[in-house]
């Protein structure tokens, strides 16, 4: 997504390169920023690239690649950002359950609230990392977040330590009970979901999206199915890979 080019005719090249876990460049692609776009924020699709013989991300070997995207104008880099990601396959079936990279995997983990005990609820990176290190020693490979999106540092550490995450959006679909927001849920969900998915979708540790918790308590089963279908469709529009 690009900003700052609305109604402008700028000769800007978008360069993207993929770095392997060892830092070597293994792929690249490029494109052009659109001219005179009417949009405040415009999404630009770059040509698809292929990474040959990738080092897969798994719980035992959480290999991470890096995407480096830069904007170049008149030969000068005017903006640049990097994002880590992993390459892996997810398969789900009633015949075999869950497979990661073609191998059946049993989830062993916890439903984990975001608070850090005596440390409090702030996202303190070292305390989060200590939790992951203890979980790996216990033989865990999975966390379900309860019941809100966790910090970016939490997800980066899950990527680093090879912990699979069920990324949960919200506690209950309610404007009143269990809802701490100043704006009612029904007036906000369609903004929340795109922001949530865009922020988190490049994390290889995330293998499930969870759109809520104890949802049938809000309006019964019939209402739950209707709201679930609406939210799930919005999620799938943003990310069809999970």
């Amino acid at each position: 997504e690009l900003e700052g080019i609305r109604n402008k005719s700028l000769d800007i090249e978008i360069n993207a390169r993929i770095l392997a876990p060892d830092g070597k460049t293994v792929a690249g692609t490029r494109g052009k920023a659109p001219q005179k776009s009417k949009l405040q924020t415009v999404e630009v699709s770059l040509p698809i690239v292929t990474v040959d013989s990738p080092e897969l991300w798994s719980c035992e070997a959480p290999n991470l690649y890096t995407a480096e995207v830069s904007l170049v104008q008149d030969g000068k880099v005017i903006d640049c950002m990097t994002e880590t990601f992993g390459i892996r396959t997810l398969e789900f079936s009633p015949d075999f359950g869950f497979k990661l990279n073609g191998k059946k995997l049993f989830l062993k983990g916890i439903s984990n609230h975001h608070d850090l005990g005596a440390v409090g609820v702030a996202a303190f990176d070292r305390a989060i990392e200590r939790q992951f290190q203890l979980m790996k020693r216990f033989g865990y490979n999975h966390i379900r977040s309860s019941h809100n999106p966790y910090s970016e540092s939490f997800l980066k550490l899950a990527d680093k330590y090879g912990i699979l995450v069920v990324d949960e959006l919200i506690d209950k679909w309610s404007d009143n009970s269990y809802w701490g927001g100043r704006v009612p849920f029904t007036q906000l969900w369609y903004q929340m979901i795109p922001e949530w998915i865009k922020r988190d979708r490049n994390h290889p540790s995330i293998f499930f999206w969870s759109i809520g918790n104890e949802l049938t308590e809000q309006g019964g089963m019939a209402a739950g199915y209707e709201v679930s279908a609406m939210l799930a469709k919005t999620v799938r529009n943003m990310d069809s890979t999970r």
Side-chain angles (χ1 to χ4, degrees):
E1 292 181 344
L2 300 181
E3 294 182 352
I5 63 171
R6 185 179 182 183
N7 295 324
K8 296 178 181 178
S9 297
L10 302 174
D11 186 14
I12 296 177
E13 189 174 72
I14 309 167
N15 292 336
R17 63 181 185 134
I18 307 299
L19 309 178
D22 62 4
K24 295 179 180 178
T25 300
V26 293
T29 185
R30 62 183 57 191
K32 285 281 190 178
Q35 303 285 318
K36 294 184 178 181
S37 172
K38 300 297 183 182
L39 301 174
Q40 188 72 38
T41 302
V42 58
E43 184 175 298
V44 181
S45 296
L46 299 180
I48 293 174
V49 297
T50 300
V51 177
D52 296 322
S53 304
E55 300 176 59
L56 300 181
W57 185 95
S58 68
C59 298
E60 299 76 28
N63 295 303
L64 291 172
Y65 285 76
T66 301
E68 184 183 273
V69 184
S70 58
L71 303 182
V72 179
Q73 185 180 27
D74 298 328
K76 295 180 180 179
V77 175
I78 59 173
D79 200 359
C80 183
M81 68 172 295
T82 59
E83 179 88 344
T84 55
F85 67 97
I87 300 174
R88 81 293 183 258
T89 62
L90 308 173
E91 296 175 81
F92 303 91
S93 170
D95 297 326
F96 55 74
F98 169 56
K99 287 184 179 181
L100 178 64
N101 299 327
K103 298 180 180 179
K104 182 174 175 61
L105 183 68
F106 286 98
L107 300 178
K108 294 176 283 186
I110 56 172
S111 179
N112 182 62
H113 287 76
H114 74 283
D115 59 282
L116 297 166
V119 178
V121 297
F124 181 41
D125 291 5
R126 177 61 195 121
I128 297 171
E129 184 172 36
R130 176 178 174 273
Q131 282 191 339
F132 280 117
Q133 290 170 335
L134 289 171
M135 290 178 63
K136 293 293 283 190
R137 283 171 50 192
F138 295 158
Y140 288 5
N141 61 14
H142 162 58
I143 289 177
R144 172 203 169 196
S145 64
S146 311
H147 307 284
N148 52 270
Y150 287 3
S151 66
E152 291 185 68
S153 56
F154 179 95
L155 296 174
K156 285 184 177 293
L157 286 164
D159 294 342
K160 175 182 176 181
Y161 283 96
I163 298 289
L164 291 161
V165 174
V166 171
D167 193 2
E168 192 158 273
L169 174 65
I170 199 172
D171 191 348
K172 297 174 179 67
W173 304 329
S174 171
D175 285 351
N176 300 304
S177 59
Y178 299 96
W179 180 251
R182 287 177 290 179
V183 179
F185 168 72
T186 51
Q187 298 177 24
L188 196 63
W189 68 268
Y190 57 89
Q191 296 174 317
M192 293 167 58
I193 289 178
E195 182 179 349
W196 171 50
I197 300 295
K198 286 180 186 179
R199 191 199 74 157
D200 293 355
R201 61 187 172 191
N202 286 323
H203 291 282
S205 55
I206 296 173
F207 75 121
F208 262 110
W209 301 115
S210 170
I211 52 178
N213 171 62
E214 297 177 355
L215 301 172
T216 55
E217 293 186 10
Q218 305 299 311
M221 292 294 286
Y225 283 131
E226 186 175 332
V227 177
S228 175
M230 181 172 63
L231 269 62
K233 183 176 181 180
T234 307
V235 171
R236 293 189 180 106
N237 285 340
M238 302 298 301
D239 174 47
S240 61
T241 69
R242 299 168 172 89

